[in-house]
């Protein structure tokens, strides 16, 4: 994919970018290395003041940054503004909390004495230059949730962003520079995917974090492993949304629609498989389908639009293949299952797909096992909680999950037995700076956000002093 801004609402190429050549890349690697040598010695107060200033700049430029994201990848502009606000919130959260999260730890006195030491403490030290390989679907938030903790820990960052969101990537670099971060603390690398391996293998790069597809994760993770470098991977998801008889059905339907269609359905933590108990299956499916059918599809720059285009032409083609495969094998499209008709002429070239509800899914269909990255929901009928949990776990992914039940025993069963990095009861999965985020199985390893996230790229050092 060329490095370019292509408006997915119209298919129009807005701007193209020339990838950095070897000399330009070398310059930026050298600048990052030099920046780390001094940045690592700064104190939390200095780092926090700059990060708070960057948050203020995000707030001041919220409308412009939101429009940039919407034009590049198609999310409804209201959601884009909310994303900018969330990034500013995360920056302030880490500015406030990092001193506590990275404070020295002191083992029990009895263990210190038993070791023969006069004193022992554990210190969190920065690890160095960290490469972030990031996706287009939350083009600002995905980066900030890496960059804010990394910078507060004393690391410096290199960003290889998705090739279709270069303007957003460059905008964040500019914001951090204008906030006062030294040159080299955070840099965007306008490079193609083929150049990533060389950066990961460069001895000046200490670690890598990637959010993206399973294929990209396998590639980058294997390269990092070959170089014996730390990596964190947040990959795909096919999150279950369980609805049991005790659920508040109206609320479950409302949040089911939001959970499936957030970001035009292009979210790794979007609920994708709706597993509904037979006692409430008909009522839930009817109400859910009715609401999905009436969602307003159109220009994402229009405030009233609820569903914009898919971010890429290939993404829509992949989604169509999954739906067509399922329908050919006997699934029923209760609504959607096609491109929309009747859009304004200026949107004819856009990559739109109707919100879709599929029933009658079986394991022989690709969509049962693969992630549907777009506004397509699959609905399953089950007769028991045991069957619901078994079906929830019948996926190679394990990112998050949603469970609608007011039964305490059912909640405990799900929290114990669902294979995922998160279990959300009577609400939809969402990320927050205070809570660890990540998955199991083919959804990746390691954690972002919270104290767990900021410590992923630290040298956890034991400092031992003799008596």
């Amino acid at each position: 994919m060329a490095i370019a801004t292509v408006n997915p609402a119209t298919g129009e190429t807005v701007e193209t970018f020339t990838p950095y050549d070897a000399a330009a890349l070398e310059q930026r690697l050298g600048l990052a290395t030099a920046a780390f040598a001094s940045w690592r010695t700064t104190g939390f107060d200095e780092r926090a003041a700059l990060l708070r200033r960057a948050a203020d700049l995000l707030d001041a430029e919220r409308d412009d940054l939101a429009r940039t994201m919407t034009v590049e990848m198609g999310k409804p502009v209201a959601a884009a503004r909310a994303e900018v606000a969330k990034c500013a919130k995360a920056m302030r959260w880490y500015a406030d909390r990092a001193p506590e999260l990275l404070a020295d730890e002191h083992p029990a006195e009895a263990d210190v004495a038993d070791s023969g030491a006069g004193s022992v403490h554990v210190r969190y030290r920065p690890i160095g230059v960290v490469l972030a390989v990031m996706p287009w679907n939350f083009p600002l938030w995905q980066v900030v949730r890496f960059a804010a903790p990394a910078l507060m820990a004393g690391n410096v960052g290199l960003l290889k962003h998705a090739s279709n969101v270069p303007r957003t990537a460059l905008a964040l670099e500019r914001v951090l520079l204008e906030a006062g971060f030294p040159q080299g603390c955070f840099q965007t690398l306008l490079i193609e995917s083929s150049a990533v391996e060389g950066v990961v293998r460069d001895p000046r790069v200490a670690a890598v974090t990637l959010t993206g597809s399973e294929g990209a994760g396998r590639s980058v993770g294997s390269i990092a492993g070959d170089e014996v470098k730390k990596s964190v991977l947040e990959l795909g998801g096919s999150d279950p949304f369980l609805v049991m008889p005790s659920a508040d059905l109206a609320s479950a339907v409302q949040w089911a629609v939001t959970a499936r269609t957030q970001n035009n359905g292009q979210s790794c933590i979007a609920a994708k498989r709706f597993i509904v108990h037979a006692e409430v299956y008909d009522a839930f499916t009817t109400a859910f389908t009715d609401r999905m059918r009436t969602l307003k599809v159109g220009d994402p720059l229009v405030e009233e639009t609820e569903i914009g285009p898919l971010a890429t032409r290939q993404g829509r083609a992949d989604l169509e293949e999954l739906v067509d495969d399922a329908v050919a094998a006997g699934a029923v499209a209760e609504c959607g299952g096609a491109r929309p008709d009747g859009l304004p002429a200026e949107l004819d070239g856009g990559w739109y797909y109707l919100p879709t509800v599929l029933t009658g899914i079986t394991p022989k269909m690709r969509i049962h096992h693969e992630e549907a990255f777009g506004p397509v929901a699959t609905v399953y009928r089950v007769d028991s909680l045991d069957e619901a949990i078994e079906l929830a776990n019948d996926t190679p992914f394990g990112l998050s999950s949603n469970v609608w039940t007011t039964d305490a025993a059912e909640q405990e069963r799900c929290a114990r037995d669902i294979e995922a990095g998160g279990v959300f009861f009577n609400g939809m999965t969402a990320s927050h700076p205070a809570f660890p985020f990540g998955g199991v199985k083919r959804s990746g390893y390691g954690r972002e956000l919270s104290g767990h996230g900021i410590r992923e790229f630290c040298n956890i050092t034991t400092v031992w002093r003799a008596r």
Side-chain angles (χ1 to χ4, degrees), residues 91-132:
M91 287 180 173
R92 295 187 178 103
W93 192 90
Y94 273 108
D96 293 342
R97 303 297 201 286
E100 174 189 351
L101 298 174
L102 298 179
D104 291 350
E105 295 179 3
H106 299 272
E109 291 184 8
D111 292 328
V112 173
D114 185 61
S115 76
S119 69
V120 179
H121 70 273
V122 176
R123 177 171 296 178
Y124 293 96
R125 297 190 291 165
I127 196 172
V129 179
V130 181
L131 171 67

Side-chain angles (χ1 to χ4, degrees), residues 91-334:
M91 287 180 173
R92 295 187 178 103
W93 192 90
Y94 273 108
D96 293 342
R97 303 297 201 286
E100 174 189 351
L101 298 174
L102 298 179
D104 291 350
E105 295 179 3
H106 299 272
E109 291 184 8
D111 292 328
V112 173
D114 185 61
S115 76
S119 69
V120 179
H121 70 273
V122 176
R123 177 171 296 178
Y124 293 96
R125 297 190 291 165
I127 196 172
V129 179
V130 181
L131 171 67
V133 182
M134 292 288 113
W136 47 259
N137 57 335
F138 292 93
L140 201 61
W141 170 241
Q142 298 280 8
V143 182
V144 167
R145 76 186 194 189
F146 144 74
L151 291 167
M152 282 304 301
N155 295 308
V156 301
L158 295 172
L159 169 64
K160 192 290 179 201
H161 217 325
S163 295
N164 59 328
V165 289
R167 285 180 168 182
T168 304
L170 291 169
L172 182 58
E173 178 183 328
R174 174 187 56 77
V175 164
L176 291 171
L177 283 171
E178 289 182 3
F181 281 91
Q183 288 278 349
C185 275
F186 181 89
Q187 300 176 87
T188 287
L189 303 180
L190 292 180
I191 58 175
E192 296 172 317
S193 297
S194 58
V196 170
E197 178 172 356
V199 180
V200 177
R201 292 192 183 278
D202 192 290
R204 292 166 291 187
V205 172
V208 59
T209 179
L210 177 143
T211 299
S213 69
E214 181 184 341
R218 286 179 182 275
S219 175
V220 168
S222 65
I223 295 165
D226 189 53
E227 293 292 333
V228 198
K229 293 182 179 181
K230 178 68 179 288
S231 61
V232 169
L233 303 180
E234 193 264 280
L235 308 178
S238 189
D239 290 5
F241 189 107
L242 278 61
V243 183
M244 300 303 292
S246 66
D248 178 337
L249 207 58
S251 185
V253 169
Q254 173 190 342
W255 284 106
V257 173
T258 303
R260 176 62 285 226
T261 61
Q262 60 173 318
N263 205 43
N264 303 334
Q266 300 165 121
S267 171
C268 50
I269 56 170
K272 299 183 176 78
R273 297 176 298 132
F274 296 81
I275 301 169
V276 186
H277 194 280
E279 290 184 24
V280 291
Y281 176 88
D282 289 341
F284 174 88
T285 303
T286 297
F288 180 54
T289 301
D290 287 345
R291 179 66 185 114
M292 290 282 282
R293 184 185 290 114
T294 59
L295 291 171
K296 183 174 177 56
V297 178
D299 185 345
L301 288 172
V302 173
E303 293 290 337
E304 294 76 20
T305 293
E306 295 173 289
I307 302 292
L310 278 296
T312 67
R313 185 190 305 275
Q314 186 60 51
R316 183 176 65 178
D318 292 343
L319 193 66
E320 287 176 322
E321 282 187 13
L322 285 180
V323 173
D324 292 348
D325 170 81
V327 171
V332 176
E334 304 289 347

